[in-house]
Amino acid sequence: YLQQCDRCCSFLIFFKSAACSMGSRTSGLYSALVKTVSRPALPHPCDSTYNPGNDLDLDQDPADPLKLLQECREVLINRPAQLQRAFIQTGHGDARQTIRVMQWNVLAQALGEGMDSFVQCPMDALNWAERKYLILQEILTYKPDIICLQEVDHYFDMFQPVLASLGYQSSFCPKPWSPCLDVENNNGPDGCALFFNHKRFQSLNTTHLRLSAMMLKTNQVAIIAALRCRATERAFCVTVTHLKARSGWEVLRSAQGSDLLRNLRNVAQRIETEEKTDTDVPLIVCGDFNAEPSEDVYRNFATSSLGLDSAYKHLSTDGKTEPPYTTWKIRPSGESCHTLDYVWYSHRAFDVNAVLDFPTAEQIGPNRLPSYNYPSDHLSLVCDFSFKDPALVSQ
């Protein structure tokens, strides 16, 4: 079914066939995918009335994630082993109420194959038939409660149906002018996607943003989801965003970050009013900011009145330094190793219990990312949070 988005000037294709290549065997994931996409087509993603819970069967038992993980490993048996990463314990919060959050720029398939020029990565390593299993393996390995993704261009035919079968409710916000649309045989626009375990969290409100800079709308987007933790009854907001890329655009990124902070403040205040609470609604903000810690947009988040801190500073010995890299690739212009991805959180409301460490340069290998054993040029960030005692928060 081909539908045109008047506002986004783009096309989205909904596949209701089993034409996707899944390797030589019929797999459990393949069967689950066919079953899910054979449902009625989802409402248009640019429709303001779209309810991301409508496509989730709340009464259906979720698929077995361990079986799907094993299936991924079977499909990938001829590829090098998955990068081994360990969680570093950073705090002493209540582990029984841990909220695990994943932040990840997954690399849009159209960009990886058609535009990003990873000169040391063989094209065969990027074929979607196997790369999607690498992506799912990464997600299933760490079992996040909340997943914040950027550069998603296979939302409707892979991410949404498979993760819905695992019990995730979701929302997708495409870029208005996605560069994916300039690639031949693309799968529609890329954008940000946010997933959460519906058994752990109740959706209160979802806001899609087209970020502004100097009062002008830009091509970058964000999703703000207000959730209620069913175990603690506490409300909080989770945000996913992807700011403008490339050097020379630092001022624009700073303006986009300021616009996001303004919107976060407004949404949080609205939720506080609806919840009739005197305390600030806690925030978790995930994103590929395309900005090193030296940029203004980073400093603006670090000094914001919203009381945000960066979770991955907990990996450093001084507690003040970001990791040396979150993305590492080789392009025609040379090697690119940068820290661009962050998980910000309300430090007065959350404890950071653990963060997932990064692989070493030796583990990543001389050809860097993406590769036969890692599907993206960005590494995933995974953090375990827990709510602080409400009495401490109010103080």
Side-chain angles (χ1 to χ4, degrees):
Y1 297 95
L2 193 62
Q3 295 181 321
Q4 183 175 7
C5 174
D6 293 331
R7 281 179 287 172
C8 295
C9 300
S10 60
F11 292 91
L12 296 178
I13 299 174
F14 299 87
F15 289 96
K16 292 185 66 180
S17 70
C20 37
S21 171
M22 290 281 187
S24 59
R25 67 179 68 84
T26 299
S27 64
L29 180 58
Y30 176 80
S31 300
L33 184 59
V34 170
K35 179 180 178 181
T36 309
V37 299
S38 65
R39 298 172 181 174
L42 289 173
H44 201 289
C46 294
D47 186 347
S48 60
T49 63
Y50 171 50
N51 181 349
N54 287 343
D55 54 287
L56 188 62
D57 187 349
L58 301 180
D59 297 323
Q60 182 182 11
D61 291 333
D64 186 339
L66 292 178
K67 288 183 179 179
L68 292 185
L69 179 58
Q70 180 58 34
E71 181 191 328
C72 290
R73 290 170 175 166
E74 290 173 1
V75 172
L76 300 168
I77 194 167
N78 293 323
R79 291 200 175 208
Q82 183 180 15
L83 293 177
Q84 295 301 303
R85 304 169 64 182
F87 279 96
I88 306 300
Q89 301 301 311
T90 60
H92 305 285
D94 187 353
R96 296 170 300 176
Q97 301 295 343
T98 291
I99 299 172
R100 177 163 290 180
V101 178
M102 171 180 276
Q103 148 59 31
W104 195 16
N105 180 329
V106 296
L107 174 60
Q109 183 66 21
L111 300 184
E113 288 187 311
M115 297 183 72
D116 277 351
S117 301
F118 301 117
V119 294
Q120 294 295 96
C121 178
M123 286 301 293
D124 183 51
L126 296 173
N127 77 79
W128 182 243
E130 291 183 352
R131 195 173 85 88
K132 61 188 166 193
Y133 282 93
L134 279 174
I135 294 172
L136 289 170
Q137 178 181 245
E138 184 81 355
I139 293 171
L140 292 165
T141 295
Y142 302 115
K143 302 183 288 289
D145 301 299
I146 297 170
I147 309 169
C148 295
L149 305 180
Q150 300 86 37
E151 289 198 25
V152 173
D153 64 345
H154 276 270
Y155 176 79
F156 291 98
D157 68 325
M158 198 281 280
F159 286 97
Q160 189 280 328
V162 174
L163 291 176
S165 76
L166 293 166
Y168 288 93
Q169 192 169 325
S170 62
S171 187
F172 174 65
C173 186
K175 293 176 183 173
W177 311 297
S178 168
C180 292
L181 298 174
D182 295 327
V183 178
E184 188 177 0
N185 299 321
N186 66 77
N187 198 61
D190 76 301
C192 292
L194 191 150
F195 303 81
F196 62 89
N197 183 332
H198 84 91
K199 289 190 174 180
R200 292 210 60 191
F201 309 105
Q202 173 193 358
S203 176
L204 301 178
N205 179 274
T206 302
T207 303
H208 286 193
L209 299 175
R210 182 175 168 191
L211 297 175
S212 295
M214 286 74 78
M215 301 181 68
L216 297 175
K217 294 291 185 181
T218 70
N219 193 36
Q220 280 63 50
V221 297
I223 302 172
I224 304 175
L227 306 176
R228 187 192 310 282
C229 176
R230 297 185 190 274
T232 64
E233 291 295 318
R234 297 178 69 173
F236 65 106
C237 289
V238 181
T239 299
V240 55
T241 194
H242 189 186
L243 303 188
K244 175 65 181 175
R246 297 187 177 86
S247 61
W249 294 92
E250 292 81 2
V251 174
L252 180 67
R253 278 193 289 274
S254 178
Q256 289 178 331
S258 297
D259 185 49
L260 179 56
L261 287 169
R262 282 192 296 271
N263 278 281
L264 281 167
R265 190 175 293 108
N266 292 338
V267 171
Q269 289 174 350
R270 185 170 72 245
I271 300 301
E272 289 161 17
T273 300
E274 293 172 356
E275 294 291 302
K276 298 180 174 61
T277 177
D278 294 330
T279 58
D280 294 338
V281 169
L283 305 173
I284 296 174
V285 184
C286 299
D288 174 358
F289 278 59
N290 277 307
E292 293 274 10
S294 58
E295 282 197 28
D296 285 344
V297 64
Y298 180 95
R299 289 191 290 268
N300 290 343
F301 268 73
T303 59
S304 164
S305 61
L306 293 173
L308 299 173
D309 202 357
S310 175
Y312 261 79
K313 291 195 300 185
H314 285 272
L315 280 183
S316 64
T317 55
D318 62 4
K320 300 177 181 179
T321 309
E322 294 289 349
Y325 51 82
T326 64
T327 179
W328 202 341
K329 61 204 124 190
I330 301 175
R331 284 179 166 151
S333 57
E335 195 156 354
S336 175
C337 181
H338 297 288
T339 299
L340 306 177
D341 307 89
Y342 306 96
V343 179
W344 299 93
Y345 70 102
S346 298
H347 62 84
R348 290 188 291 266
F350 289 112
D351 284 313
V352 181
N353 299 346
V355 295
L356 185 65
D357 204 356
F358 289 105
T360 64
E362 290 72 24
Q363 289 175 303
I364 292 172
N367 293 333
R368 307 314 183 197
L369 305 172
S371 64
Y372 278 110
N373 63 336
Y374 201 80
S376 177
D377 54 322
H378 289 251
L379 292 158
S380 65
L381 280 61
V382 185
C383 307
D384 287 348
F385 295 100
S386 61
F387 286 106
K388 290 185 176 181
D389 187 313
L392 298 175
V393 175
S394 62
Q395 293 174 4

